[in-house]
Amino acid sequence: MAARKATRKKSAPANPESDAPPPAEPAGDRAEGEGIDAPGRRRLPPMLRVAWYSLNQAFRRRIHHLNVTPDQFTILRWLTECDPEWPTQRELGSMMASDPNTITSLLRRMEKAGFVERQPHETDKRANRIKITPPGRRAYAKARQIAVDLQTEVLAALPESKRDEFFALLEVIADSCRGALVNSGNREG
């Protein structure tokens, strides 16, 4: 691993002030293994992973004293924004891009903490609507300020004039990733 790191080319740092994209390599001039996934190039999955993991862990550490996790905060945010049209457990799973088992476990812990309560769906007897409670609102309000401060800190790496463009481009990538997921079905191997 150390030898591989030593030979890895370092990408030139991005210049957020420049509107020019980095120079593209002509497709025909690339040797095998030097394409979009070449070791010396910036690669989408590792960059997204580092960004998500680092942001998630920084937030986790900053809200630990509130006894709220980043996933619980996200659910509390969705519930606050949906008020009073409380979503069902399935709708929350879709909003969070999480599987049903993860949402069930998360909601069970949040219910035990007094942050949420389940209420029977008015027409579908198999479904429950998830409602935020007053303690959940208080926990959300405290954690939200920490989230806003963290986002402000992280986005300070970009000039203010580039932030809307960054979010627009990130949204395009997120939509494309969702499309790839849908197009993948349940393929294995």
Side-chain angles (χ1 to χ4, degrees), residues 98-116:
S98 285
D99 66 274
N101 292 334
T102 300
I103 294 297
T104 298
S105 174
L106 192 53
L107 289 175
R108 212 175 272 136
R109 289 191 306 274
M110 292 179 76
E111 208 169 17
K112 186 176 180 181
F115 294 152
V116 300

Side-chain angles (χ1 to χ4, degrees), residues 14-42:
N15 180 353
E17 297 293 332
S18 171
D19 289 330
E25 297 176 24
D29 292 348
R30 288 189 204 126
E32 190 174 325
E34 291 185 12
I36 194 169
D37 196 42
R41 293 188 60 152
R42 291 184 183 133

Side-chain angles (χ1 to χ4, degrees), residues 129-184:
R129 292 211 179 268
I130 310 302
K131 181 179 179 183
I132 190 170
T133 62
R137 285 188 192 284
R138 286 191 294 275
Y140 169 74
K142 290 175 186 173
R144 183 179 180 276
Q145 188 54 56
I146 295 168
V148 168
D149 292 345
L150 178 58
Q151 180 170 309
T152 301
E153 177 185 330
V154 169
L155 288 176
L158 294 175
E160 199 166 333
S161 63
K162 297 286 186 179
R163 293 175 192 170
D164 285 341
E165 179 184 4
F166 168 74
F167 280 117
L169 292 171
L170 188 58
E171 186 173 33
V172 168
I173 294 299
D175 289 344
S176 182
C177 289
R178 273 191 288 275
L181 175 62
V182 168
N183 292 336
S184 297

Side-chain angles (χ1 to χ4, degrees), residues 59-130:
F59 189 47
R60 178 179 303 281
R61 291 174 185 175
R62 293 177 190 201
I63 63 173
H64 181 264
H65 68 283
L66 299 174
N67 295 316
V68 175
T69 68
D71 285 344
Q72 290 173 341
F73 170 79
T74 302
I75 285 183
L76 293 172
R77 184 188 67 218
W78 285 120
L79 293 175
T80 300
E81 292 174 359
C82 290
D83 183 9
E85 297 295 321
W86 307 114
T88 63
Q89 193 165 320
R90 180 183 300 261
E91 289 167 338
L92 268 177
S94 181
M95 294 158 95
M96 295 269 303
S98 285
D99 66 274
N101 292 334
T102 300
I103 294 297
T104 298
S105 174
L106 192 53
L107 289 175
R108 212 175 272 136
R109 289 191 306 274
M110 292 179 76
E111 208 169 17
K112 186 176 180 181
F115 294 152
V116 300
E117 60 185 37
R118 298 172 206 236
Q119 296 184 338
H121 191 281
E122 52 284 349
T123 58
D124 185 349
K125 299 296 180 206
R126 298 167 296 160
N128 287 307
R129 292 211 179 268
I130 310 302

